[in-house]
Structure formats: structure tokens, C-alpha cells
């Protein structure tokens, strides 16, 4: 019998430790939360994508009374970015969540469907997408979606895993 040991690397830091361009992206994601349409969950999520050409595309969650018809902030943002700039790689994606009058202390982690879309974004450009998950007390930085979506439905993603006998 063999086991596959899956490891994920997540760097934890605070806002002051971010690079200047990372701070700007986090600020844009935070601002985008206030434009979210989240009347049902009252959980506002904002995202900001930095593209290879320097453009920043922002988006947020868009809910619907028929719940499954809504869309998360990450997918709204990545789909819009690709619809506007189909040839541009996404370098970094920042995500922030705001509820009950404040941003969360700890980051939220993207849902499975958003991870799958992030993987496609990364595979399309063949370059890692850095993911910054904002929390007031802790920020998670993940250098590639492969750390968030191990064993992904993709023929090459599995090559990075470690096989332990
Ligand atoms: N949501 C996001 O937009 N992104 C996430 O990473 C997690 C959840 C949204 C979906 C829904 O509109 C609300 O947050 C509550 O789940």
C-alpha cells in the first residue's frame, strides 16, 4: 500500500508586512466588499485581481433569491477579468470579507468551485496566481492555487505532490 502525503504552504503575515502592491490590492478587495450584492447572507466578499498588464479588476459576490444562481466574489472577478483581458495572466488575487459591520479577523478560504476556476486561470497562463486572503489579524498568502487545490482535476497538477511509501 502507498500513501500520498499532501502538503500546502501558507505564509501568514499581517497587513504591515505586505509589499506595497499587495497592500493596494488588498485595499481594492476590501473596497469591493461594499459593492457586493449579498442581501441574503449579509456576508460581503470582495476580490481584486492584478493582471500582467498592471490592470486591477475588482468584483464581489452577487446573490440571488434562487440561491444557487448567485456567484462568489472570486469567480465574478476572474470571469470578468478574462472577459475584458483574455490574453492577460492574473498575477495576484486578493480576497476580503465583511460582515456585521467589520472585516473578519481571520481570512475566509475560497470554496471548491472558485478553487477550480483559479486553477484554470493559472493553467491557462502557465504561471502561478498568488492568492492573498485578508483578515484583520492574519493574512494568508498562498503562492499558487496548487496549494489550495491538491489532487486537482488536471493532468499535471499531481506532479507536484509527494509520494510517500
Ligand atoms: N462567498 C464568496 O463570495 N467567496 C468565498 O470565498 C466564500 C463565500 C460568498 C457566497 C455567498 O454570497 C456568501 O459569501 C455567503 O456564503
Amino acid at each position: 500500500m502507498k500513501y500520498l502525503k499532501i502538503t500546502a504552504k501558507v505564509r501568514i503575515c499581517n497587513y504591515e508586512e505586505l509589499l506595497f502592491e499587495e497592500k493596494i490590492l488588498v485595499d481594492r478587495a476590501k473596497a469591493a466588499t461594499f459593492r457586493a450584492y449579498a442581501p441574503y447572507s449579509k456576508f460581503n466578499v470582495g476580490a481584486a485581481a492584478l493582471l500582467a498588464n498592471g490592470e486591477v479588476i475588482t468584483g464581489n459576490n452577487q446573490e440571488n433569491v434562487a440561491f444557487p444562481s448567485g456567484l462568489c466574489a472570486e469567480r465574478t472577478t476572474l470571469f470578468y477579468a478574462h472577459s475584458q483581458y483574455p490574453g492577460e495572466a492574473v498575477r495576484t488575487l486578493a480576497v476580503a470579507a465583511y460582515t456585521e459591520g467589520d472585516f473578519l479577523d481571520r481570512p475566509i478560504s475560497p470554496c471548491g468551485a472558485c478553487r477550480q476556476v483559479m486553477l484554470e486561470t493559472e493553467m491557462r497562463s502557465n504561471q502561478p496566481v498568488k492568492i492573498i486572503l485578508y483578515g484583520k489579524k492574519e493574512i494568508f498568502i498562498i503562492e499558487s492555487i496548487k496549494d489550495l487545490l491538491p489532487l486537482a482535476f488536471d493532468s499535471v497538477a499531481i506532479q507536484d505532490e509527494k509520494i510517500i511509501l
Side-chain angles (χ1 to χ4, degrees):
M1 193 191 296
K2 286 181 183 177
Y3 289 92
L4 185 63
K5 187 175 179 190
I6 297 170
T7 52
K9 205 163 104 188
V10 178
R11 185 153 55 95
I12 302 174
C13 66
N14 60 44
Y15 185 81
E16 297 314 319
E17 293 171 302
L18 293 178
L19 301 171
F20 179 70
E21 69 173 33
E22 293 173 337
K23 282 183 182 163
I24 290 178
L25 209 60
V26 163
D27 293 347
R28 295 288 298 271
K30 288 171 73 177
T33 64
F34 298 108
R35 300 188 296 274
Y37 179 64
Y40 306 105
S41 71
K42 305 201 185 323
F43 191 82
N44 289 25
V45 184
L50 172 65
L51 309 188
N53 65 0
E55 287 283 337
V56 173
I57 300 292
T58 63
N60 39 48
N61 50 335
Q62 297 292 317
E63 297 185 347
N64 191 280
V65 65
F67 288 179
S69 304
L71 198 64
C72 294
E74 295 90 327
R75 274 175 292 159
T76 304
T77 304
L78 290 175
F79 287 154
Y80 183 63
H82 197 229
S83 74
Q84 295 302 299
Y85 299 97
E88 295 296 325
V90 177
R91 296 254 184 266
T92 313
L93 181 72
V95 183
Y98 181 97
T99 191
E100 293 175 359
D102 206 355
F103 290 96
L104 302 184
D105 283 343
R106 319 243 171 253
I108 55 157
S109 202
C111 78
C114 287
R115 292 175 198 214
Q116 188 67 40
V117 170
M118 289 177 194
L119 180 73
E120 183 97 8
T121 303
E122 195 168 288
M123 299 312 293
R124 201 163 48 215
S125 68
N126 206 18
Q127 292 168 50
V129 177
K130 179 162 67 176
I131 299 152
I132 303 176
L133 304 175
Y134 173 78
K136 279 189 301 171
K137 292 197 173 148
E138 277 184 349
I139 294 173
F140 287 1
I141 301 187
I142 298 127
E143 293 296 335
S144 162
I145 181 58
K146 287 174 188 166
D147 275 314
L148 276 186
L149 193 64
L151 292 180
F153 178 60
D154 180 89
S155 59
V156 291
I158 200 166
Q159 288 174 8
D160 291 341
E161 321 296 346
K162 279 199 179 106
I163 294 181
I164 307 291
L165 295 177

